[in-house]
Structures are given as C-alpha cells and as structure tokens.
Amino acid sequence: MSERLTRFFASRWGIILAGAVIGVLAPLLQYAGNPANMGICVACFERDIAGALGLHRAAVVQYIRPEIIAFVLGATVAALFFREFKARAGSAPIVRFFLGMFAMIGSLAFLGCPWRALLRLTGGDLNAILGLAGLAVGITIGVQFLKAGYNLGRSYPTYPAVGWIMPVFMVGLLLLRIFRPQFSEGGPIFFSESGPGFLYAPLLISLGAGLLIGFLAQRTRFCTMGSIRDVILMGDTHLISGLGALVVVAFVTNLLLGQVSFGFFGQPVAHSSHLWNFLGMVLAGLAFALAGGCPGRQLFLSGEGDGDAGVFVLGMIVGAGFAHNFALAGKPDAVADGIVGGISTAGMVAVLLGLMVCLVIGFTMRKK
C-alpha cells in the first residue's frame, strides 16, 4: 500500500493533486476568515508569529498562525509514516540563517511569499505579475550560480533530537496559541486587535487544512522555487505542473466564492509600487534558490528532520522582526487617501543590500 502511494505521489498526478488541494484550501481559508488574498502566505504568517512572540511590535500583524504549525507537523506525520524522517544538519547553517532573513525582507517588500504571489494573482491582484516576474528573475540568477558550481556543502546525519527540534517547537507554538498566556503586563504573547493579524480562520479549520497540505507537500516535494529552477536547469515540468494546478483551481474557487477583483491599486494588503514589488521578489527568489527551497518547502523539510531548513525558517522569523522594527516592510496602498504604498528608503536600502549579500554568497561559495 505504502509503495503504491509513494509511486502515486511521485507521479505528475501526485504533484497536480497537491497543487489543486492548495488551490482549493487557500481561498476557503480566506472565506473562513483569513485576510483577503492571503488564505495562505508563509512569509506573512511567519511575520505574524514573530509579532505574537514580541520580535516586532507592529500591532496589526501579531498572531500565532496555526497553518505554519500544521505545515511542519503534517510533513512530520508523512515522513514518519513513509519512513523518511531523517535527522541531518551541518550544511552552512549561518549562511542559511542570513538567507532566510533576506528572503523575508524581500518577501515583505512585496508583501507576500511565492504562494501568496500566485494567490494574489488568482484573486485579481495584477501587482502579483511584477512579483512573479521578479521571483523568476531571482531564481534564474540563482540557477546560474548552481551551474557555476555553487554549493552550500552536504548535510550529515546527526542525533535524532536535532530533527525533532522544529516539530517540538511547533507544538510549543500551538500550546501558546490555544492557551494564550501573558508572561508580563503589556508583554507577549501578543494578538492583534485589528488589521490582518485580527483576521483568521477558526483554529481547527486552519490546523486541518495545514496538516493536509503539509502531508501532501512532503510526499510530492511541492516547491515553487524548485519548479522554476527545474524548468530552467533541466527543462523538467514535473513540479511546475503543480503550480499550474494551484493557479487554475484557486482562480475557479475564488470566482465561485466571489473573491476576484482585478486591478493594481488598492488590492488587499498590497501596494502598487511596481519597481519594489519586482525587486523585492528578485531578492526573495535569489535567496530561495541559494538556500535550495521556497519558504513552504523549508517548512516541510524541517518537519522531516532537516535542521538546516529549520535554521532558514528561524532566519525568516527573525528577519520579519528586523523588517518591522526597522520599517523595512512594504506599506499597502491607502485607498481612502489615494496614496500608492511601497517601502521606505530604509527598505529600499535593505533590499539592495540583500541583493549584494546574496550575490557575494553566490560568487564565493562555488566549488572550483
């Protein structure tokens, strides 16, 4: 039975199923209460977790998102069931941490991860076109480094406890979400009382959707960065067929739910500063390519025992704290005042600095 399931999940129909499930569940999570055009966004949800833990004090984006927790635990369940849970680590962890930080800074300049870019597009947000173009450019640059011998080195088998750190951490976050303790007066755990952080689907719905996605994504190796990389590097369309299924199914689901509104200006939790939508995702795409996976894929890998992926995830969470504490993240368009949003001067500098750092990493970590 497990062998037949393994063959199915490794097939094109398996990856299409995973993409289609995400394409259905993300709009349904939005319909159930998650922010508009943000039924699922790994970067935004990790930012909300960072806020809930007090790593930043942007009051409108503080919430322990159950979907992130469930992505990791769903991948853990799948890895254990199919005997793929393997503790490993040691592949340039400090580099991965900073790649995670800069990936988050780029994502928050755009206001979304690759998943949200696709979902924003299926909800009618045309700014996503610039974001997806930037993502493709960033990944293309990363592929050129791969062709030139870029490599973070191999990871090594290690103690089982290392592989369990991220799943146990997620269980801890789940307990904090359920019991909502307050550790000091005016201190964490923080939960938004307005804004995107105050919009969320019921806990059990979020957990159920996340567990299913985590399970399927772990089995099928679903990865937005990997899909583009494989097309450029090998002409392989296996992974990208899953993205195609996600886009088609999400668009149809959004249409049926009345969640489609085409345009650039005034889209939900988005800005129409085209240059920085593009450059933010160039940075994110390059960081994902250098790290070996999109933010969703990193969560799923951390769930199956990959300590290096866990370091990248923690880098993204810390990066979210930096982005909001230092006013680097994008600001949505102000519809009432007719003001186009975007990023601050500090945010622009951070994106350009991130690109420089990633390029240095790409050039200097090549095996001759």
Side-chain angles (χ1 to χ4, degrees):
M1 178 64 176
S2 62
E3 291 181 2
R4 289 199 297 270
L5 285 174
T6 297
R7 287 196 297 270
F8 170 76
F9 287 129
S11 71
R12 188 176 296 272
W13 284 112
I15 194 71
I16 288 174
L17 173 65
V21 168
I22 297 170
V24 169
L25 292 180
L28 287 176
L29 284 169
Q30 175 185 330
Y31 190 75
N34 278 5
N37 284 357
M38 200 190 297
I40 295 173
C41 176
V42 175
C44 300
F45 287 5
E46 289 178 345
R47 171 207 60 200
D48 292 354
I49 290 174
L53 298 177
L55 300 182
H56 69 73
R57 303 305 288 271
V60 296
V61 283
Q62 296 175 321
Y63 178 63
I64 295 178
R65 294 282 176 182
E67 293 87 352
I68 297 297
I69 297 168
F71 286 168
V72 174
L73 297 182
T76 301
V77 171
L80 289 172
F81 184 81
F82 289 92
R83 299 181 181 179
E84 290 185 357
F85 187 92
K86 297 176 182 178
R88 67 265 193 195
S91 174
I94 190 66
V95 175
R96 293 181 184 276
F97 182 84
F98 278 93
L99 287 174
M101 287 185 61
F102 284 114
M104 180 61 82
I105 289 171
S107 295
L108 291 183
F110 167 70
L111 291 176
C113 70
W115 287 24
R116 188 177 184 229
L118 295 169
L119 295 170
R120 280 172 58 175
L121 183 63
T122 65
D125 184 352
L126 301 181
N127 296 294
I129 297 172
L130 280 302
L132 289 169
L135 179 70
V137 169
I139 294 172
T140 300
I141 295 171
V143 168
Q144 304 315 307
F145 285 122
L146 293 175
K147 289 181 177 179
Y150 168 83
N151 195 320
L152 287 178
R154 61 165 296 185
S155 59
Y156 295 89
T158 186
Y159 301 104
V162 174
W164 281 103
I165 287 177
M166 284 302 290
V168 170
F169 175 60
M170 291 299 161
V171 172
L173 286 179
L174 179 59
L175 294 175
L176 292 176
R177 165 60 185 83
I178 293 171
F179 295 106
R180 299 191 174 207
Q182 189 173 31
F183 292 93
S184 63
E185 185 176 354
I189 299 296
F190 298 107
F191 289 92
S192 297
E193 297 181 0
S194 63
F198 189 62
L199 301 173
Y200 49 85
L203 175 61
L204 292 181
I205 292 176
S206 294
L207 285 175
L211 287 170
L212 179 57
I213 291 172
F215 187 96
L216 291 175
Q218 193 279 332
R219 297 312 307 146
T220 61
R221 284 39 174 179
F222 188 91
C223 179
T224 49
M225 186 287 298
S227 66
I228 299 173
R229 176 204 60 203
D230 287 357
V231 169
I232 298 171
L233 198 59
M234 303 175 289
D236 187 340
T237 60
H238 174 79
L239 287 178
I240 208 166
S241 61
L243 294 194
L246 186 159
V247 170
V248 171
V249 174
F251 179 64
V252 172
T253 306
N254 277 324
L255 278 177
L256 294 174
L257 296 175
Q259 296 178 166
V260 177
S261 178
F262 287 103
F264 283 98
F265 181 75
Q267 291 289 331
V269 198
H271 64 77
S272 46
S273 178
H274 302 318
L275 175 62
W276 296 101
N277 277 327
F278 176 80
L279 288 178
M281 287 304 272
V282 172
L283 171 57
L286 177 54
F288 297 147
L290 295 178
C294 70
R297 180 68 179 147
Q298 300 288 349
L299 286 171
F300 308 135
L301 286 170
S302 72
E304 63 180 52
D306 191 327
D308 295 327
V311 169
F312 183 91
V313 172
L314 295 177
M316 288 195 70
I317 293 173
V318 172
F322 270 86
H324 280 283
N325 286 335
F326 293 93
L328 312 179
K331 293 184 177 179
D333 294 337
V335 177
D337 300 321
I339 299 175
V340 173
I343 60 176
S344 65
T345 301
M348 297 175 188
V349 172
V351 169
L352 296 177
L353 175 63
L355 286 169
M356 291 175 57
V357 171
C358 287
L359 289 173
V360 169
I361 290 172
F363 277 114
T364 58
M365 301 194 70
R366 293 179 297 165
K367 290 186 176 181
K368 300 295 188 292

